[in-house]
Amino acid sequence: MHPRETVDRALRLSALGYNDRQVAAFCGVSLGAVQKWRTGARRAKEDEDRRRHSSCPHCHGRELDPGPYSYLLGLYLGDGHIVLCRKGVYQLSIFCGDMWPGLIDAAAHALASVMPASKVSRRQHTGCTEVKSYSLHWACLFPQHGPGRKHERTIVLADWQEKIVSEHPGLFARGLIHSDGYRGTNRVRRPVGGEDKWYEYPRYLFKNESGDILRLCGETLDRLGVAWRYNKRNEISVARRDAVARLDEFVGPKY
């Protein structure tokens, strides 16, 4: 990559009427470089390279949008996956069920908001859509990335992540439940006066094999003032009427 001063000098010489070969000789660069600068192709590539190498909030000091990040963190801990590809580029994928197109759009929007210099794409699988983005810096933003499955390793938030989650707990809970949870109707049969009667009520469930991720979910619900309990070893339930109503303010059904 040539210095910006060289590019600007070449463009000034071209504007003065010198031909590409003369400009190349004056600037000490190749003829092809001058042609690409003059037509805009090289400058567009250099601008893109510059954006790619100034895109990380931790490595380059770019401001991180905390709301979308809190939501994306919840999605990642549930149904997210990071892999290292060629040339040190990381791929972050969020897998979303096809029956919830709104969730697919929300995941794509979160990826684009957190890493705006990286393109977001979608890949169709059987019954689900993989929403993914490539960046050199996804592992910087998700230090929980590591070898093996999430429930087989320790999951602890970094201090800066904890600060974001504490300031945006509703969006974090929304990401967790949109990934590994749901809001549905529970039906219970109880004997009343010698007869069986059925009762229905809404509830939230969040299921995950990682005890650490379940703990993070419970701590976030506590921050929101939402009563919860362990329904099973690997499942959290929110079933009290006031608790469901409170969580509806932040999550609601998948769509």
Side-chain angles (χ1 to χ4, degrees):
M1 182 183 297
H2 293 281
R4 173 60 61 179
E5 294 78 8
T6 302
V7 178
D8 292 339
R9 183 185 179 212
L11 293 174
R12 286 196 301 268
L13 291 171
S14 294
L16 291 172
Y18 292 97
N19 63 43
D20 292 342
R21 192 172 301 278
Q22 291 172 317
V23 173
F26 290 148
C27 297
V29 298
S30 68
L31 176 62
V34 174
Q35 291 172 337
K36 290 180 179 178
W37 290 337
R38 180 173 52 78
T39 60
R42 176 65 65 88
R43 172 166 288 190
K45 182 179 184 303
E46 290 182 349
D47 288 344
E48 175 61 25
D49 289 342
R50 189 169 287 104
R51 285 194 296 271
R52 282 168 54 84
H53 290 87
S54 62
S55 60
C56 180
H58 290 279
C59 299
H60 308 126
R62 177 179 63 82
E63 185 176 354
L64 176 65
D65 194 341
Y69 178 80
S70 189
Y71 176 67
L72 184 60
L73 177 60
L75 291 179
Y76 164 72
L77 292 178
D79 287 329
H81 182 56
I82 294 177
V83 295
L84 178 61
C85 305
R86 294 184 300 173
K87 298 181 179 180
V89 176
Y90 290 92
Q91 173 188 313
L92 171 57
S93 297
I94 307 294
F95 293 86
C96 308
D98 288 338
M99 67 285 293
W100 299 303
L103 170 56
I104 296 172
D105 291 339
H109 181 267
L111 283 166
S113 298
V114 172
M115 197 69 75
S118 299
K119 180 181 178 181
V120 178
S121 61
R122 309 181 189 196
R123 181 182 180 187
Q124 188 63 49
H125 298 272
T126 302
C128 74
T129 297
E130 177 187 5
V131 185
K132 58 184 179 179
S133 173
Y134 295 90
S135 173
L136 295 168
H137 301 281
W138 279 125
C140 304
L141 295 183
F142 295 94
Q144 290 71 34
H145 166 64
R149 301 174 180 177
K150 295 191 190 79
H151 69 272
E152 296 173 346
R153 62 180 188 267
T154 302
I155 302 294
V156 178
L157 298 185
D159 290 343
W160 62 269
Q161 291 177 303
E162 183 67 34
K163 182 175 185 296
I164 289 176
V165 168
S166 65
E167 292 175 352
H168 301 273
L171 288 169
F172 182 58
R174 181 179 176 87
L176 288 173
I177 294 175
H178 275 185
S179 58
D180 273 348
Y182 90 109
R183 183 191 189 280
T185 300
N186 191 39
R187 301 183 75 241
V188 179
R189 183 178 64 183
R190 291 179 180 171
V192 177
E195 297 182 359
D196 288 339
K197 289 192 175 183
W198 288 92
Y199 296 88
E200 296 184 351
Y201 60 90
R203 70 171 176 178
Y204 284 91
L205 293 177
F206 175 74
K207 187 173 184 179
N208 197 288
E209 292 299 323
S210 169
D212 288 334
I213 295 176
L214 288 170
R215 173 184 53 79
L216 290 172
C217 181
E219 290 174 353
T220 301
L221 294 176
D222 288 340
R223 284 191 178 109
L224 295 172
V226 174
W228 62 277
R229 67 181 180 86
Y230 279 104
N231 189 47
K232 298 177 182 177
R233 171 193 61 82
N234 59 348
E235 188 175 70
I236 284 177
S237 171
V238 175
R240 284 175 42 178
R241 181 179 299 178
D242 58 341
V244 171
R246 173 64 174 165
L247 198 51
D248 280 343
E249 298 177 18
F250 306 98
V251 182
K254 296 181 184 180
Y255 58 97

